Amino acid sequence: MAELAANKDRLDKVHQNGDDLVREKPETADVVNDRLRQLQEQWDELENTTQSKAQKLFDANKAELFAQSCDDVDTWINDIDTQVKSEDYGHDLTSVNILIKRQQLLEKDVDIKRQQMLELQNQAEVLRNEGSIVDEVDGKRVQVEE
């Protein structure tokens, strides 16, 4: 977009030169005005295409960030699943106390991740409503919910 803005002056100058030419030589009006109209149409199309591409890139970036966040939560869940399935119940008072502290920390982490998962579900809904790569977003959302 910045490059377009930087070159807008060039288009304005071409329009000015065309208008000056038509004033000096009225017989060129049809050719010059037609060409100026074509240039303006091409410029407008370029601006629209650029804005559309910028929006698509922005949407794709949001979807990618969402996917990464889902992958992070999924990895965390797999790690925690391994810890929870551990058969270690402690063999003395000290080891039991350590396991209790770990369990308490784990419960706090679960509460934090639960909030993150709710936020991811909200993001998924927003992305779906915006039409951003719906299949990928839904796939990641379902994966995390499982």
Side-chain angles (χ1 to χ4, degrees), residues 62-140:
K62 284 196 311 188
E64 181 59 30
L65 290 173
F66 172 80
Q68 287 176 357
S69 295
C70 289
D71 288 342
D72 290 345
V73 168
D74 192 45
T75 299
W76 178 84
I77 288 171
N78 289 333
D79 291 344
I80 294 303
D81 191 45
T82 303
Q83 290 178 28
V84 170
K85 290 180 179 177
S86 171
E87 295 290 328
D88 184 11
Y89 300 113
H91 54 278
D92 61 13
L93 185 58
T94 303
S95 63
V96 169
N97 283 334
I98 290 171
L99 289 173
I100 289 172
K101 291 220 182 268
R102 281 187 193 163
Q103 179 65 27
Q104 290 169 343
L105 291 173
L106 175 65
E107 289 173 5
K108 287 179 184 178
D109 283 350
V110 167
D111 288 340
I112 292 169
K113 290 298 180 183
R114 182 178 294 122
Q115 183 61 36
Q116 288 176 347
M117 288 176 62
L118 290 173
E119 290 172 10
L120 285 173
Q121 288 172 336
N122 291 337
Q123 285 178 349
E125 189 64 32
V126 168
L127 290 171
R128 187 181 310 106
N129 290 339
E130 290 175 353
S132 297
I133 313 171
V134 175
D135 293 338
E136 181 181 345
V137 168
D138 281 341
K140 290 292 182 183

Side-chain angles (χ1 to χ4, degrees), residues 50-64:
T50 302
Q51 288 175 350
S52 175
K53 184 173 183 174
Q55 184 62 46
K56 287 177 184 177
L57 287 171
F58 181 75
D59 291 345
N61 186 48
K62 284 196 311 188
E64 181 59 30

Side-chain angles (χ1 to χ4, degrees), residues 5-18:
N7 286 298
K8 179 72 170 144
D9 291 339
R10 292 176 64 193
L11 180 66
D12 292 341
K13 187 172 182 172
V14 167
H15 273 282
Q16 184 62 44
N17 289 343

